[in-house]
Amino acid sequence: HYLASGNREAQVDLDAVRVAPNVSPARITFAELLDVDGRVCQDFPMGSDITVAFRVAFTDPGAPTKLAVSLKTSDGLPITHIVDDDAGFVPPTGKAEQQVFVRIPDIRLYPGEYRVSLWVVDAPNTVVYDHAEDCLTFTITDGGRLTFRRLPREHGVMFLTTNWSSR
């Protein structure tokens, strides 16, 4: 439903926009994008820190889960798939609800619009408990602390800081 509505939000109450409730052992109920000061934000200068915050509700609080966040361009090109294990994070068990924060430091995406998707799966990573496809949208703006030149999207997706030398 939120995809069909053309969602372009930095914050979404997933329970409010779903047509039918998810009755799996875990479901994503709310998601938002935060700036470095913890404020809901949709526009970030290149080089900013972005935090993806989301709540997971459990009908079985003891069920071990894995969490993931993915980013893609507005035209659907996958950029990254961030999994809790990769950072050594293990979601705690025994809580009926938990809020999770995933900080992406120093984001180096070219200016443009990007989409965020969220997953919660079982610990063996075989069953998807919940998936919120393209539930959040953010924009990377020109400028920031990294460059003052214009960076058109047709030149790339990522801005890399390199070291140049000559002999």
Side-chain angles (χ1 to χ4, degrees):
H1 178 72
Y2 61 86
L3 284 173
S5 69
N7 181 51
R8 300 279 185 269
E9 299 296 330
Q11 186 178 65
V12 62
D13 181 347
L14 293 164
D15 277 350
V17 298
R18 287 187 171 145
V19 175
N22 182 335
V23 292
S24 71
R27 72 183 193 287
I28 303 161
T29 60
F30 184 84
E32 61 189 350
L33 298 168
L34 306 172
D35 67 11
V36 71
D37 297 318
R39 294 179 302 231
V40 174
C41 187
Q42 191 167 27
D43 298 322
F44 299 89
M46 188 173 51
S48 298
D49 292 358
I50 296 176
T51 297
V52 180
F54 58 100
R55 282 192 295 248
V56 181
F58 296 90
T59 55
D60 178 3
T65 59
K66 293 192 178 300
L67 306 170
V69 174
S70 70
L71 303 179
K72 63 184 171 182
T73 62
S74 61
D75 55 353
L77 176 70
I79 297 169
T80 188
H81 187 75
I82 306 162
V83 179
D84 57 6
D85 277 352
D86 295 341
F89 177 77
V90 178
T93 58
K95 296 171 76 176
E97 183 176 81
Q98 61 183 275
Q99 188 160 5
V100 177
F101 300 89
V102 181
R103 186 175 69 86
I104 304 168
D106 192 24
I107 198 153
R108 301 287 181 111
L109 297 173
Y110 267 42
E113 187 176 282
Y114 297 89
R115 297 179 186 162
V116 179
S117 298
L118 305 169
W119 278 267
V120 59
V121 300
D122 68 337
N125 201 16
T126 57
V127 177
V128 175
Y129 290 152
D130 199 9
H131 175 215
E133 181 78 21
D134 296 345
C135 62
L136 299 170
T137 303
F138 67 92
T139 301
I140 298 294
T141 60
D142 273 321
R145 61 180 176 75
L146 298 174
T147 186
F148 298 101
R149 69 181 172 95
R150 186 174 169 274
L151 298 170
R153 169 65 170 82
E154 60 269 11
H155 289 179
V157 176
M158 278 188 71
F159 179 84
L160 300 176
T161 303
T162 57
N163 294 315
W164 290 50
S165 63
S166 67
R167 295 177 195 215

